[in-house]
């Protein structure tokens, strides 16, 4: 059966990204998942990298149908003028004729490990899906130069199979990072935690041809975490990193201590 055939007894898999609907990563992801259910692509018309969880509120969001083929044939696809989070909202509220069983975002060009999770539009598409109550996975290839996404696609298949079989806890999504290595050099999958890190940034002041100043951001990534079982450590050791993450940012371990502060004046 072609993945373009709609049937309610087949899982509906919604595919998104932040690199744009014409990016090679999303084509590789859809190709890898062909046959796992009914596929549908709703992705940004233009690249939306590093937009985080931004949504469009001051401009109209437009969507137009887009030609998108996988090995079994054409599938439904829309290119959206907004952000990755916009794509998930619009898909689930307007464009799809039924709710997805799974949302898969990627395959992103470049790693989404450590603090980069917060900036990633790819991860935010999956996060928006989790907020709306859908199982979701974000997949990234840890290279900005490698144009071959087959290995990442094959690991995406394995993880999609697991999630379709097992399901995910409410509010939890999987952030997957795949090392830029040939298949025979990837050692397997590790379930990891998000490493602590930050960017040490600088801004270079420049002047445009009209003598107007502007600033070009630059930065160096700094790993602040020498502990075990981190996403950075897994990638460094040629493992696929699978990190369960959540959108609840509450620091539960510190609630009691901060409740003990003198919020209402001096405590007796």
């Amino acid at each position: 059966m072609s993945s373009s055939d709609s049937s309610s007894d087949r899982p509906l898999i919604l595919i998104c990204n932040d690199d744009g609907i014409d990016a090679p990563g999303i084509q590789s992801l859809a190709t890898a998942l062909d046959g796992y259910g009914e596929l549908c692509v709703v992705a940004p018309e233009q690249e939306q990298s590093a937009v985080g969880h931004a949504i469009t509120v001051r401009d109209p969001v437009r969507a137009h149908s887009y030609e998108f083929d996988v090995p079994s044939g054409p599938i439904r696809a829309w290119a959206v003028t907004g952000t990755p989070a916009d794509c998930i909202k619009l898909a689930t509220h307007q464009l799809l004729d039924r709710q997805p069983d799974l949302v898969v975002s990627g395959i992103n060009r470049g790693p989404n490990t450590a603090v980069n999770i917060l900036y990633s539009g790819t991860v935010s598409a999956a996060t928006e899906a989790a907020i709306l109550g859908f199982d979701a996975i974000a997949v990234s290839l840890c290279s900005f130069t490698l144009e071959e996404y087959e290995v990442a696609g094959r690991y995406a298949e394995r993880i999609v199979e697991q999630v379709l079989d097992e399901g995910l806890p409410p509010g939890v999504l999987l952030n997957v990072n795949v090392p830029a290595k040939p298949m025979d050099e990837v050692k397997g999958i590790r379930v990891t935690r998000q490493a602590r890190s930050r960017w040490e940034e600088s801004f270079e002041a420049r002047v445009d041809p009209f003598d107007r100043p502007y600033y070009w951001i630059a930065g160096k990534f700094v790993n602040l975490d020498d502990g075990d079982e981190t996403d950075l450590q897994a990638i460094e050791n040629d493992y696929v990193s699978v990190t369960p993450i959540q959108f609840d940012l509450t620091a539960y371990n510190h609630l009691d201590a901060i409740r003990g502060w003198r919020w209402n004046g001096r405590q007796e």
Side-chain angles (χ1 to χ4, degrees):
M1 179 184 292
S2 167
S3 58
S4 61
D5 296 333
S6 178
S7 174
S8 60
D9 60 357
R10 302 173 67 230
L12 175 59
I13 301 175
L14 171 61
I15 297 173
C16 189
N17 73 347
D18 73 0
D19 290 324
I21 196 166
D22 61 350
I26 197 170
Q27 179 65 64
S28 294
L29 179 61
T31 297
L33 300 186
D34 188 24
Y36 283 88
E38 179 189 352
L39 303 184
C40 181
V41 172
V42 181
E45 185 177 52
Q46 304 292 332
E47 183 176 351
Q48 295 283 330
S49 296
V51 300
H53 209 101
I55 59 173
T56 303
V57 295
R58 292 182 176 86
D59 295 296
V61 176
R62 305 180 190 278
H64 62 86
S65 59
Y66 191 90
E67 291 188 9
F68 205 107
D69 292 324
V70 294
S72 65
I75 61 175
R76 293 182 299 160
W78 286 268
V80 176
T81 58
T83 68
D86 289 333
C87 291
I88 302 303
K89 289 177 179 290
L90 188 63
T92 56
H93 286 91
Q94 287 288 333
L95 300 178
L96 301 182
D97 50 15
R98 62 187 174 105
Q99 295 297 282
D101 298 282
L102 177 64
V103 175
V104 189
S105 184
I107 300 168
N108 188 69
R109 183 173 66 92
N112 278 316
T113 50
V115 73
N116 296 318
I117 291 173
L118 297 177
Y119 304 118
S120 168
T122 294
V123 177
S124 289
T127 303
E128 181 62 33
I131 291 171
L132 296 175
F134 308 117
D135 286 350
I137 306 167
V139 184
S140 301
L141 175 64
C142 295
S143 172
F144 290 103
T145 57
L146 186 66
E147 295 297 327
E148 177 52 66
Y149 291 83
E150 181 182 357
V151 173
R154 290 171 68 179
Y155 274 98
E157 282 186 69
R158 296 185 187 182
I159 294 162
V160 163
E161 285 180 347
Q162 289 288 317
V163 172
L164 288 175
D165 287 344
E166 303 290 341
L168 289 170
V172 173
L173 59 142
L174 299 183
N175 183 43
V176 178
N177 284 274
V178 181
K181 297 285 184 178
M183 192 71 185
D184 60 359
E185 294 183 22
V186 179
K187 297 177 180 176
I189 294 174
R190 281 185 174 172
V191 178
T192 60
R193 61 179 177 85
Q194 179 185 356
R196 293 181 298 107
S197 68
R198 67 166 177 260
W199 284 90
E200 290 184 352
E201 291 159 330
S202 61
F203 291 83
E204 181 181 343
R206 300 181 182 180
V207 178
D208 72 13
F210 298 97
D211 202 32
R212 297 174 301 193
Y214 68 97
Y215 303 91
W216 198 266
I217 190 172
K220 181 177 74 171
F221 179 79
V222 180
N223 180 11
L224 301 173
D225 199 326
D226 58 3
D228 293 329
E229 299 183 336
T230 70
D231 47 11
L232 293 176
Q233 183 188 62
I235 294 301
E236 184 177 338
N237 289 290
D238 299 333
Y239 286 91
V240 174
S241 167
V242 176
T243 308
I245 61 175
Q246 59 190 13
F247 51 83
D248 181 352
L249 302 180
T250 306
Y252 288 100
N253 291 340
H254 302 282
L255 277 175
D256 289 341
I258 294 174
R259 283 172 178 147
W261 291 5
R262 297 175 179 176
W263 294 110
N264 300 307
R266 182 180 299 276
Q267 292 182 345
E268 299 299 332

